[in-house]
Amino acid sequence: MPRDDDLTARMAEPDFWPLYLFDDQAMEAYEEAREDEEAEEEVLRAEFLLERGTGLKLEFEPGVGYVNLAVRSPESAKDETVGWDDTAHFHPHVMPWSELDLLCRAAALYDPALRHPGPVLALLLRFAFLTEDDDLDAITPMVDAAFSAVVPTAANDAVPPGAAGVRAETRDWFDLRDLRGTGIEWTPRSDGCQAVTQHDRDGMPLYSLREPESVEFPFAAWSGMLARATELLHSVRTSPALDLPEVRACLDRCAGPNGHRHIGSLASALSQAGFDNTVLLRALSHPVVLVEAAWAVETLAGLELGELVAAWAGASPLASSGSWRLSLTLPAAGRPWRFAQKFTDELSAALQAAGLGRAEANGSTSVQGEDGDYLHHSDHLDVLVRDDLPGGVRVISQLLHHHQAAETAILKHGEKPHEHIAVIDFSV
């Protein structure tokens, strides 16, 4: 993967992934450190190529919490933005999982220095989202493996209780990019390019440049890149080695029940047949994780992307998981300055420690007094509760009582019809 040396080095540092994933504490610590050092702003770049002049370019600016993704094509004189992510006016919904997986596989085939799942998948996940047809059994193990490959061990906390048995980074991505049930529809434009729309805005909203009438999204360049990725995967199957009976027999065994037990035999048969794709041979003979071998077999056998990944990895822990988005309002009257921020930090830490979710500030409300001045009236928090709504409400209620805020706080569901949720009364 062509990428600048700065990014290569930074990815190995403990603070990189918390910064890249927009962890509030990491971003605050980074900002304070940069102010002390008076250092120049970092701009980290990576290119994921499928051939010369075709691929993706990613730019990350840690100091402002901004990630930009652009497509590069031979027909364009400059890179064309397809999406960006920040903490304010983001448009990160670029592609479905199927396209991301396809691009990562093709990039790994083009550049033997890459492994999939690995850095390409981990970096580009923020620009992919889940829709109705996605199979969590095929997706979860790939995402888990990608983060396991790149996040330094020292910064890799154990999965907390109640986190559905997946990595924290995987669950965070799932919560942020799960648009199932929100009316997502893919439609072909008149030029044949796929565009995305959303019919139900009551759930998590779609923020994408890729809407049907968009003049900003480079549809032709994107479609050309996907076509090239598909060609790369198909070209592997033109090798004469795959026509030999002994290789076909090994492939059939790998594609059948308990196929993972036969990947060593397949690797040996391919080597003896003169198959020379080093990426796929390595994935079969020395896979870092089993799903690496699974996608290699899928590629060689012409199977659907994710078919063997799902079969070999088993049921996703996320398939039975659930989440609730809540709104918490804290009146400011009688409270010290920055009370809401302190409360938010404490609540988020408590929920994360229990494996139940997180909280973040979502602005404040002011009212105009009789003298014309605006007074701080209330603060608003977004709260994500995972898997156990009563347990999450209990954590929220306990902290509200601890700060003598239970009687005035307003807790509601964040989605329509915005039903109120009673704060637990621990005095009863």
Side-chain angles (χ1 to χ4, degrees):
M1 173 175 62
R3 58 187 181 191
D4 63 20
D5 293 338
D6 290 340
L7 177 59
T8 303
R10 286 292 279 119
M11 285 178 63
E13 295 180 8
D15 72 329
F16 176 83
W17 288 101
L19 280 172
Y20 187 76
L21 300 174
F22 294 168
D23 177 81
D24 290 338
Q25 293 182 345
M27 294 174 73
E28 289 178 8
Y30 178 87
E31 185 177 348
E32 292 175 0
R34 303 291 286 185
E35 288 178 354
D36 294 341
E37 297 173 4
E38 296 184 354
E40 294 183 4
E41 292 294 336
E42 283 187 291
V43 180
L44 305 170
R45 300 178 177 87
E47 293 179 354
F48 315 114
L49 299 179
L50 308 185
E51 64 182 355
R52 186 173 182 179
T54 300
L56 293 169
K57 181 176 181 180
L58 180 131
E59 290 190 352
F60 172 41
E61 299 180 51
V64 294
Y66 183 82
V67 187
N68 188 81
L69 184 66
V71 63
R72 172 171 294 176
S73 67
E75 291 77 20
S76 177
K78 61 179 182 179
D79 303 330
E80 299 175 277
T81 292
V82 293
W84 68 90
D85 200 10
D86 56 24
T87 58
H89 305 293
F90 38 78
H91 273 66
H93 300 136
V94 175
M95 56 188 141
W97 166 264
S98 58
E99 291 183 0
L100 174 61
D101 193 18
L102 169 66
L103 291 171
C104 289
R105 295 180 186 212
L109 288 174
Y110 180 73
D111 185 353
L114 284 176
R115 299 194 84 134
H116 175 57
V120 181
L121 182 58
L123 287 167
L124 294 183
L125 269 166
R126 71 185 325 129
F127 295 104
F129 56 97
L130 295 172
T131 59
E132 303 303 328
D133 295 332
D134 287 322
D135 182 1
L136 290 178
D137 294 351
I139 295 171
T140 307
M142 296 293 281
V143 177
D144 255 5
F147 283 121
S148 295
V150 298
V151 178
T153 303
N156 183 12
D157 297 331
V159 177
V166 298
R167 289 184 61 96
E169 300 94 343
T170 302
R171 186 58 197 265
D172 284 342
W173 172 77
F174 174 77
D175 290 331
L176 289 170
R177 296 294 185 262
D178 184 10
L179 268 62
R180 295 174 301 165
T182 66
I184 296 296
E185 181 180 354
W186 291 94
T187 57
R189 290 169 21 115
S190 58
D191 57 7
C193 301
Q194 290 290 316
V196 63
T197 57
Q198 185 180 43
H199 302 297
D200 184 0
R201 290 280 176 172
D202 290 343
M204 189 181 297
L206 175 77
Y207 293 103
S208 180
L209 295 178
R210 198 173 168 177
E211 295 184 325
E213 304 305 320
S214 174
V215 295
E216 298 177 79
F217 191 85
F219 285 99
W222 187 263
S223 296
M225 180 181 62
L226 294 178
R228 177 54 185 156
T230 302
E231 289 172 1
L232 279 170
L233 266 65
H234 287 174
S235 67
V236 171
R237 295 197 290 277
T238 63
S239 171
L242 299 183
D243 295 328
L244 297 179
E246 56 270 30
V247 173
R248 295 306 312 174
C250 287
L251 267 177
D252 290 341
R253 286 194 291 269
C254 286
N258 298 313
H260 59 280
R261 298 178 181 176
H262 306 289
I263 57 176
S265 298
L266 176 58
S268 297
L270 286 168
S271 296
Q272 293 173 11
F275 184 72
D276 60 358
N277 188 292
T278 57
V279 173
L280 296 181
L281 284 174
R282 180 184 61 192
L284 293 168
S285 58
H286 299 95
V288 175
V289 287
L290 191 58
V291 292
E292 182 181 11
W295 80 259
V297 176
E298 290 171 359
T299 301
L300 292 167
L303 302 177
E304 292 290 329
L305 273 64
E307 180 177 338
L308 290 185
V309 173
W312 292 4
S316 167
L318 294 176
S320 59
S321 66
S323 61
W324 296 264
R325 285 173 169 77
L326 310 182
S327 171
L328 179 62
T329 299
L330 299 174
R335 297 290 179 186
W337 177 248
R338 292 186 63 80
F339 165 75
Q341 185 59 59
K342 178 183 177 183
F343 184 92
T344 303
D345 293 341
E346 291 182 14
L347 177 57
S348 194
L351 289 169
Q352 290 183 53
L356 291 173
R358 63 178 182 274
E360 59 183 19
N362 187 26
S364 61
T365 300
S366 298
V367 297
Q368 191 170 20
E370 295 180 357
D371 58 359
D373 292 336
Y374 282 89
L375 304 175
H376 183 194
H377 179 265
S378 57
D379 293 278
H380 309 286
L381 283 65
D382 286 335
V383 184
L384 174 71
V385 176
R386 296 167 171 161
D387 300 328
D388 180 5
L389 180 59
V393 172
R394 186 174 185 85
V395 170
I396 297 168
S397 300
Q398 287 174 332
L399 194 60
L400 287 171
H401 280 287
H402 176 73
H403 286 282
Q404 290 81 48
E407 293 185 1
T408 57
I410 300 172
L411 182 63
K412 300 188 297 184
H413 282 279
E415 299 175 354
K416 291 182 179 180
H418 304 295
E419 299 166 314
H420 282 255
I421 300 173
V423 174
I424 298 173
D425 185 357
F426 291 100
S427 65
V428 177

